[in-house]
């Protein structure tokens, strides 16, 4: 959270877009942000939405800042499908490497960092380089059409083949 607040300080006019929280969580996060010198209006909370809108919203963002030590799972998939670059910091456990696996499957390892400092440095570099972000978005658009990660029919065929092989054994 402090890293994200430093990034908001360094990128004037930026906002941190988070999933709406229940109860007092949003107020607590806004209070924590204010204590770190960030106006509460720079934390934007989005509620649940129908699938079409949920998948359309990431197109409005510039960069998905993954969480640690527990990475985004389905949310990262949704963001990548929508063409939103995901920046992650690889951790040690399974839950801390999900986004790394997704990015590796898309051959976009340059968005995988290995330390909090590296994560923050790359986030800032990307935030200050719209052309680089556009290049990443363009690559994601191509990957959506060609990457095995998004090839559901291929996945179904491979899974069926695996079941058939297990049955034969």
């Amino acid at each position: 959270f402090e890293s994200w607040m430093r990034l908001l300080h360094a990128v004037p006019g930026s906002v941190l877009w988070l999933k709406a929280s229940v109860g007092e969580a949003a107020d607590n996060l806004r209070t924590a942000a204010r204590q770190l010198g960030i106006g509460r209006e720079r934390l934007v909370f989005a509620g649940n939405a129908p699938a079409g809108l949920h998948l359309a919203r990431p197109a409005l963002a510039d960069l998905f800042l993954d969480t640690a030590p527990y990475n985004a799972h389905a949310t990262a998939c949704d963001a990548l499908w929508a063409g939103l670059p995901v920046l992650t910091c690889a951790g040690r456990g399974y839950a801390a490497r999900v986004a790394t696996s997704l990015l590796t499957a898309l051959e976009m390892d340059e968005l995988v960092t290995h330390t909090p400092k590296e994560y923050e440095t790359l986030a800032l570099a990307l935030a200050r380089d719209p052309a680089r972000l556009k290049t990443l978005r363009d690559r994601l658009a191509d990957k959506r059409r060609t990457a095995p990660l998004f090839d559901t029919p291929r996945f179904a065929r491979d899974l069926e083949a695996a079941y058939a092989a297990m049955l034969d054994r």
Side-chain angles (χ1 to χ4, degrees), residues 6-29:
R6 285 190 296 273
L7 289 166
L8 288 176
H9 268 295
V11 184
S14 62
V15 298
L16 181 63
W17 190 0
L18 301 163
K19 182 175 181 180
S21 300
V22 295
E24 300 173 348
D27 286 337
N28 290 343
L29 288 170

Side-chain angles (χ1 to χ4, degrees), residues 87-90 100 109-116 118-120 122:
L87 175 64
T88 193
C89 185
T100 297
D109 301 68
E110 71 269 27
L111 292 171
V112 177
T113 63
H114 300 281
T115 67
E118 194 180 322
Y119 171 91
E120 192 172 330
L122 184 53

Side-chain angles (χ1 to χ4, degrees), residues 1 4-5 8 15-21 25-26 29-30 33 42-48 57 65 67:
F1 187 79
W4 291 344
M5 296 304 101
L8 288 176
V15 298
L16 181 63
W17 190 0
L18 301 163
K19 182 175 181 180
S21 300
L29 288 170
R30 285 187 172 117
R42 296 192 59 198
L43 270 59
V44 176
F45 293 90
N48 291 332
R57 289 193 290 201
L65 297 173
T67 55

Side-chain angles (χ1 to χ4, degrees), residues 104-150:
T104 299
L106 292 171
E107 299 175 333
M108 297 188 75
D109 301 68
E110 71 269 27
L111 292 171
V112 177
T113 63
H114 300 281
T115 67
K117 177 69 176 157
E118 194 180 322
Y119 171 91
E120 192 172 330
T121 299
L122 184 53
L124 184 57
L126 290 170
R128 291 179 170 166
D129 192 346
R132 188 172 173 193
L133 283 171
K134 172 145 180 17
T135 298
L136 290 168
R137 283 182 172 281
D138 292 345
R139 282 183 53 211
L140 271 175
D142 289 340
K143 297 291 183 179
R144 184 174 170 179
R145 291 187 297 276
T146 62
L149 180 66
F150 296 132

